[in-house]
């Protein structure tokens, strides 16, 4: 079984992997194929020799010769440990004798890790700060004092220096600058400056003068917070946020009272446009689309059209701004229809092209039309990007070792780990909570992550209730340390201070996604690092990144695993007077096996946990099948070795009856379902919209 791939799913298991909406509801009943058909092996660099078929077999119960007990990382609970034979117990410390299991070796029959011949490319650079202060902009003195005393900022960033005067002149603009370069204030300052200066003083009951659209709820909250701070001296201007997750009734009540600067996710606004009579746009002077390309990615294009039509019906003249760190063809199209004679602002440091000129700011009138202009991205200079190649079997231990290395042995580390689906986030979050926390001195399972002072896990994804999402966002934001496991819901625009590491455990599906994920660190000139974890068969992705002027340097898997040598909690118990090995590769491998065993113990502690791990594996495969066509030669389900991937879910054997063969059909079905009016209505009523790709990958807002 370990070698079986591409098996069909049917019955209850098929329902378990049926594509879901953000709230976890099945999108539509789909016809399942009645018969299971096995796919033949196809050549792949992940395919190990035939021997592997015998590796992961459940053996009949056999009395262990030496009494063995559960391992935790503390290293003092176990009596003996054998990587081949051991008993299983629950993560909560309750011992439970199980049949003796024979596990496959983590380090045998893995595909070879290829040498990475990465092309070194010259990355685009932007200068973050300028020497100029906000005083030079001619802003209201109270606004300046708010910026300097409340926000504690003195000099402008490049994008602010370039955008604010243009926007104060009344021009439309398409603004592109690297992540964490201060784009939010680049539009908030001119909006507040112009609204406070209006001759007839704004009344709350006037309704919106400015409308800011953002793709996610967390970003809506964050932008609202910034606007609120800037408005401190101008108490007559009222900001407000609409973002779903809150009762529509209370949002309606706030709209009725009046909101002058309205920040919203597109879906929720459309909802109100259709159902709330109190929403008026006759006074709108500003329309801002922040993270414009993401708004389109998430399938909000229709919603944007509804909003533009509603605005145009009531007011013709307004200033429009589109902002993002990355631009897509869709944004250029959107710019064409929503911007009037715009200025295109791009903050690229061209000093390496013009040896005697300083980093300068490009202020172009023409919008970037060619894919070349769009496809190369500036990355903060203070961001060190890494990649590591890890065979599928070793992915989980490698991730855990990296987390332990940073968060247990180094000070003040704050990390975000990106996964491709809500299910994957939930799985790894729960697994780490029940296994890794016990190693750091916390009283084992059923403990809230915050119970451990050394390791703290949080998670954020679209299947969570809004109150929980907000609480996690706030907690991680204010925390000095911790590990946030999340979907791409946290990839855009979120300004989470002091994040030191970004891990991409699931590779992104586009360079833009890559840029935004890593952009959660190294913000506003701070230092930060990122690590992309790839399988050996995915090594070519490094070249794909290089074609977008993205440079990554390699960290060897062995170096990541070597951290296990620092913690005797992973040590294999020696029998009798047996001398401990020197901490060479052999000992590291043994310790990695101990770590893997802890995961497997937890996963196999009950039928429920096994089935939960299988569902997570299904979600992984489903997500893997949805990489865009241009990346399919790198990420193709056929190159996955199911038995090996299963191991990275703590499963000792490749589950039967997993289906990946009907993905294509399902994808088509999903697209048509999502485009149907019924689905649009459903998603606007119950959930924020997800693009077809994201629903299929299980990602939701
Ligand atoms: N002039 C400034 N001086 C110091 N800090 C600033 C300045 N402008 C903005 N910041 C801070 O920089 C951080 C990043 O700003 P912001 O979130 O606006 O970046 P961004 O360009 O929108 O990033 P992304 O593309 O990821 O959305 C914020 O914490 C913000 O408060």
């Amino acid at each position: 079984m370990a070698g079986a791939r591409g098996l069909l799913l049917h019955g209850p298991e098929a329902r378990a992997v049926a594509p879901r909406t953000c709230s976890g509801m099945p999108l539509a009943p789909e016809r399942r194929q009645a018969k299971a058909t096995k796919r033949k092996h196809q050549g792949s660099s992940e395919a190990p020799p035939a021997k592997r078929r015998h590796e992961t077999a459940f053996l009949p119960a056999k009395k262990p010769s030496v009494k063995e007990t559960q391992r935790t990382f503390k290293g003092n609970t176990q009596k003996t440990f054998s990587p081949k034979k051991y008993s299983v117990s629950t993560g909560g410390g309750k011992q439970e004798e199980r049949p003796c299991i024979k596990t496959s070796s983590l380090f045998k029959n893995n595909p070879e890790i290829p040498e990475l011949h990465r092309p070194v490319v010259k990355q685009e650079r932007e200068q973050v700060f300028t020497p100029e202060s906000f005083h030079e902009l001619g802003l209201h003195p109270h606004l300046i004092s708010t910026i300097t005393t409340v926000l504690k900022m003195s000099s402008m960033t490049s994008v602010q220096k370039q955008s604010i005067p243009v926007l104060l002149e009344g021009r439309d603009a398409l603004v592109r600058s690297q992540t964490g370069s201060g784009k939010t204030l680049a539009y908030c300052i001119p909006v507040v400056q112009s609204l406070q200066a209006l001759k007839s003083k704004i009344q709350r009951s006037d309704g919106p003068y400015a409308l800011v659209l953002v793709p996610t709820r967390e970003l809506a909250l964050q932008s609202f917070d910034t606007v609120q701070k800037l408005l401190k001296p101008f108490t007559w201007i009222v900001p407000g946020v609409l973002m779903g997750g809150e009762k529509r009734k209370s949002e309606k009540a706030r709209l009725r009272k009046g909101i002058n600067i309205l920040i919203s996710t597109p879906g929720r606004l459309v909802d109100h446009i259709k159902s709330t009579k109190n929403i008026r746009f006759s006074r709108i002077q500003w329309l801002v689309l922040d993270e414009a390309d993401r708004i389109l990615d998430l399938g909000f294009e229709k919603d944007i059209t509804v909003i533009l039509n509603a605005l145009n019906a009531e007011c013709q003249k307004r200033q429009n701004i589109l902002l993002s760190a990355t631009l897509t063809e869709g944004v250029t199209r959107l710019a064409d229809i929503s911007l009037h004679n715009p200025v295109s602002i791009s903050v690229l440091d061209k000093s390496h092209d013009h040896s005697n000129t300083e980093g300068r700011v490009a202020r172009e009138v023409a919008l970037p039309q060619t894919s070349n202009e769009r496809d190369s991205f500036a990355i903060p200079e203070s961001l060190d990007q890494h990649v590591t190649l890890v065979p599928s079997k070793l992915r989980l231990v490698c991730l855990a070792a990296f987390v332990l290395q940073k968060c247990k042995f180094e000070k003040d580390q704050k990390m975000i780990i990106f996964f491709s689906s809500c299910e994957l986030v939930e799985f790894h979050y729960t697994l780490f909570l029940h296994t890794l926390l016990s190693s750091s001195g916390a009283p084992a399972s059923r403990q809230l992550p915050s119970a451990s002072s050394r390791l703290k896990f949080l998670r954020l994804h679209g299947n969570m209730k809004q109150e929980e999402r907000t609480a996690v966002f706030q907690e991680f934001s204010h925390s000095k340390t911790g590990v946030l496991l999340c979907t791409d819901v946290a990839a855009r625009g979120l300004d989470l201070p002091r994040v030191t590491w970004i891990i991409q455990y699931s590779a992104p599906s586009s360079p833009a996604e890559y840029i935004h994920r890593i952009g959660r660190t190294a913000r506003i000139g701070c230092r930060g690092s990122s690590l992309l974890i790839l399988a050996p068969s995915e090594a070519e992705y490094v070249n794909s990144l290089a074609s977008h002027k993205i440079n990554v340097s390699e960290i060897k898997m062995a170096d990541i695993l070597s951290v296990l040598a620092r913690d005797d909690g992973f040590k294999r118990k020696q029998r009798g007077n047996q001398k401990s090995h020197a901490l060479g590769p052999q000992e590291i491998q043994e310790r990695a096996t101990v770590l893997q065993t802890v995961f497997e113990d937890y996963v196999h502690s009950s039928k429920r946990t096994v089935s939960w791990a299988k569902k997570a594996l299904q979600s992984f495969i489903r997500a893997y099948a949805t990489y865009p066509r241009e990346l399919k030669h790198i990420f193709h389900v056929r190159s996955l070795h199911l038995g090996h991937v299963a191991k990275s879910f703590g499963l000792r054997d490749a589950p039967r009856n997993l289906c990946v063969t009907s993905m294509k059909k399902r994808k088509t079905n999903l697209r048509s379902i999502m485009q149907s009016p019924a689905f649009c209505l459903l998603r606007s009523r119950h959930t924020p919209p997800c693009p077809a790709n994201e629903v299929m990958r299980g990602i939701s807002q």
Side-chain angles (χ1 to χ4, degrees):
M1 264 315 294
R5 294 185 215 155
L7 302 182
L8 278 176
L9 230 194
H10 51 101
E13 283 200 279
R15 274 190 295 282
V17 296
R20 276 155 201 275
T21 64
C22 308
S23 56
M25 307 228 324
L27 272 173
E30 281 175 64
R31 286 186 62 197
R32 323 271 170 208
Q33 282 182 255
K35 276 192 176 176
T37 50
K38 285 187 184 176
R39 270 215 207 149
K40 287 239 161 101
H41 283 277
Q42 300 197 7
S44 94
S45 57
E46 279 268 286
K51 188 171 167 264
R52 68 162 183 255
R53 280 183 215 120
H54 309 292
E55 282 170 21
T56 55
F58 282 92
L59 295 183
K62 188 178 155 197
K63 239 185 173 178
S65 52
V66 188
K67 200 179 170 213
E68 293 157 329
T69 56
Q70 184 214 358
R71 284 193 67 88
T72 70
F73 294 163
K74 280 186 166 182
N76 52 5
T77 52
Q78 81 281 7
K79 296 260 167 56
T80 60
F81 168 75
S82 150
K84 293 272 177 203
K85 296 173 182 176
Y86 53 91
S87 66
V88 182
S89 76
T90 59
K94 223 173 115 191
Q95 304 295 319
E96 201 180 295
E97 286 298 324
R98 291 278 165 103
C100 192
I101 307 291
K102 189 172 184 176
T103 54
S104 65
S105 165
L106 271 186
F107 291 89
K108 282 188 188 153
N109 302 320
N110 284 314
E112 223 171 85
I113 297 179
E115 280 288 313
L116 263 189
H117 300 289
R118 63 185 179 89
V120 178
V121 285
K122 205 164 201 170
Q123 286 190 173
E124 302 277 7
R125 290 289 180 217
E126 289 181 15
Q127 188 188 326
V128 181
F129 281 105
T130 66
E132 276 94 341
S133 86
F134 289 98
H135 289 90
E136 290 161 39
L137 294 170
L139 303 174
H140 189 288
H142 289 171
L143 184 52
I144 294 181
S145 76
T146 305
I147 294 169
T148 51
T149 58
V150 178
L151 300 180
K152 301 196 169 28
M153 292 166 192
S154 45
S155 50
M156 284 186 276
T157 64
S158 299
V159 69
Q160 290 160 357
K161 183 190 164 193
Q162 188 61 12
S163 310
I164 295 172
V166 169
L167 295 174
L168 288 174
E169 275 169 26
R171 298 285 303 270
D172 281 10
L174 176 63
V175 181
R176 177 168 81 156
S177 74
Q178 69 186 19
T179 51
S181 58
K183 290 186 286 296
T184 314
L185 280 179
Y187 70 80
C188 285
I189 291 175
V191 168
V192 171
Q193 166 67 20
S194 76
L195 295 188
Q196 63 76 32
L198 284 181
K199 288 229 167 68
S200 63
K201 202 170 171 180
I202 288 178
Q203 303 290 311
R204 183 171 185 175
S205 56
D206 290 347
Y209 280 79
L211 174 60
V212 179
L213 295 174
V214 294
T216 67
R217 297 169 186 184
E218 284 72 21
L219 192 49
L221 279 175
Q222 191 179 284
S223 308
F224 171 69
D225 189 53
T226 305
V227 170
Q228 209 173 22
K229 283 180 183 152
L230 285 182
L231 285 175
K232 262 197 164 158
F234 314 111
T235 48
W236 62 95
I237 305 173
V238 178
V241 64
L242 305 177
M243 55 172 198
E246 193 190 354
K247 283 198 182 113
R248 209 174 287 111
K249 220 172 157 188
S250 55
E251 283 186 348
K252 272 186 186 180
R254 285 191 293 117
L255 276 170
R256 197 177 309 120
K257 277 193 190 162
I259 296 175
N260 305 125
I261 300 181
L262 179 59
I263 297 143
S264 180
T265 52
R268 193 56 161 193
L269 184 61
V270 166
D271 196 15
H272 282 287
I273 289 173
K274 288 180 176 165
S275 66
T276 309
K277 294 205 173 63
N278 308 307
I279 194 155
R280 289 197 312 271
F281 295 117
S282 54
R283 290 195 160 87
I284 286 278
Q285 300 195 353
W286 293 87
L287 171 65
V288 180
L289 282 99
D290 196 1
E291 304 293 349
D293 56 336
R294 185 59 173 169
I295 288 179
L296 295 182
D297 286 351
L298 285 175
F300 284 124
E301 202 157 351
K302 254 186 180 171
D303 291 340
I304 295 295
T305 313
V306 172
I307 294 166
L308 285 177
N309 287 342
L311 296 185
N312 292 342
E314 288 191 57
C315 78
Q316 281 301 322
K317 207 172 160 296
R318 62 173 181 270
Q319 244 179 292
N320 305 285
I321 315 163
L322 265 66
L323 305 104
S324 183
T326 53
L327 294 180
T328 56
E329 209 185 324
V331 175
T332 316
R333 256 197 348 262
L334 182 61
D336 281 342
I337 59 164
S338 62
L339 302 181
H340 176 67
N341 187 23
V343 175
S344 173
I345 295 168
S346 154
V347 192
L348 283 183
D349 179 351
K350 303 253 171 87
S351 52
H352 51 272
D353 296 336
H354 308 270
S355 45
N356 281 330
T357 50
E358 271 181 60
R360 50 171 212 176
V361 178
R363 190 178 141 178
E364 305 145 10
V365 175
L367 301 179
Q369 297 292 347
T370 66
S371 59
N372 227 5
E373 276 174 276
R374 281 191 306 260
D375 289 353
S376 44
F377 311 104
I379 293 172
E381 207 160 359
S382 51
L383 207 166
D384 298 319
Q385 301 166 76
H386 307 279
V387 65
T388 185
L389 298 181
V390 182
S392 294
K393 271 206 267 186
L394 283 149
R395 271 167 66 79
L396 185 60
V397 279
C398 207
L399 175 65
F402 194 80
V403 169
L404 290 169
Q405 179 188 348
K406 294 294 155 200
C407 302
K408 197 171 168 183
F409 297 114
E410 291 177 24
K411 266 183 88 185
D412 294 339
Q413 295 287 339
K414 193 166 162 183
M415 182 183 280
I416 301 180
I417 310 176
F418 284 100
F419 295 87
S420 55
S421 75
C422 305
E423 290 88 347
L424 289 178
V425 171
E426 276 298 324
F427 172 78
H428 290 89
Y429 170 73
T430 312
L431 183 68
F432 288 170
L433 218 58
H434 284 86
T435 52
L436 297 187
L437 275 193
S438 57
S439 69
S440 56
S445 63
R446 289 201 199 94
Q447 198 82 49
L448 288 174
S450 47
S452 164
S453 56
R454 292 159 79 190
L455 263 179
K456 176 161 74 178
F457 292 105
L458 296 163
R459 80 330 193 169
L460 191 67
H461 60 73
N463 279 354
M464 289 162 63
K465 287 215 173 89
Q466 187 51 45
E467 307 85 72
E468 207 185 346
R469 268 171 74 161
T470 308
V472 167
F473 171 58
Q474 299 292 358
E475 183 178 354
F476 191 70
S477 228
H478 296 124
S479 169
K480 263 175 87 180
T481 58
V483 183
L484 178 71
L485 292 84
C486 60
T487 58
D488 279 322
V489 70
R492 290 288 180 135
L494 293 194
D495 186 49
L496 298 157
R498 296 183 298 274
V499 172
T500 49
W501 275 93
I502 301 296
I503 314 294
Q504 306 200 48
Y505 192 60
S506 308
S509 59
S510 68
E513 203 173 306
Y514 176 92
I515 296 289
H516 286 279
R517 284 173 168 192
I518 62 168
R520 296 318 97 209
T521 188
R523 296 176 72 74
I524 207 85
C526 294
R527 284 224 77 81
S529 308
S530 68
L531 176 68
L532 171 65
I533 301 181
L534 295 175
S537 59
E538 299 161 352
E540 205 194 319
Y541 189 59
V542 171
N543 295 333
S544 164
L545 291 176
S547 69
H548 297 282
K549 299 196 181 169
I550 299 170
N551 257 335
V552 288
S553 64
E554 189 179 6
I555 299 182
K556 296 280 182 198
M557 178 185 73
D559 293 336
I560 294 176
L561 292 179
S562 67
V563 70
L564 301 176
R566 294 175 69 179
D567 192 336
D568 280 349
F570 303 107
K571 210 164 138 189
R572 187 165 70 90
K573 184 84 177 170
Q574 306 298 323
R575 283 187 208 129
N577 289 334
Q578 215 177 333
K579 279 250 159 77
S580 146
H581 294 282
L583 290 179
Q586 171 74 22
E587 175 68 13
I588 303 282
Q589 290 192 4
E590 281 178 5
R591 290 181 179 211
T593 308
V594 169
L595 181 53
Q596 174 71 20
T597 306
V598 173
F599 293 135
E600 291 182 13
D601 278 353
Y602 180 73
V603 165
H604 287 269
S605 60
S606 69
K607 272 192 182 157
R608 189 186 53 81
T609 44
V610 170
S611 131
W612 161 77
K614 279 188 192 169
K615 278 184 193 156
L617 170 63
Q618 285 160 353
S619 170
F620 168 83
I621 295 171
R622 201 171 64 214
Y624 206 87
T626 61
Y627 277 98
R629 196 182 312 142
E630 61 274 16
L631 291 177
K632 278 264 192 264
H633 64 292
I634 303 173
F635 304 100
H636 199 290
V637 274
R638 274 201 297 265
S639 47
L640 292 177
H641 181 288
L642 191 56
H644 288 192
V645 178
K647 200 96 180 129
S648 69
F649 286 85
L651 290 162
R652 295 190 183 115
D653 202 2
R656 287 157 221 267
N657 303 330
L658 280 181
C659 170
V660 290
T661 50
S662 59
M663 280 309 301
K664 223 173 181 176
K665 202 170 158 196
R666 186 170 294 156
K667 199 166 168 178
T668 318
N669 287 346
L670 251 180
R671 283 244 156 75
S672 55
I673 291 162
M674 291 188 68
Q675 280 158 8
S676 73
F679 177 75
C680 290
L681 198 66
L682 179 81
R683 78 180 186 190
S684 62
R685 287 223 178 112
H686 300 292
T687 61
C690 300
N693 267 356
E694 297 233 337
V695 170
M696 285 183 289
R697 300 184 78 197
I699 301 168
S700 52
Q701 279 212 63

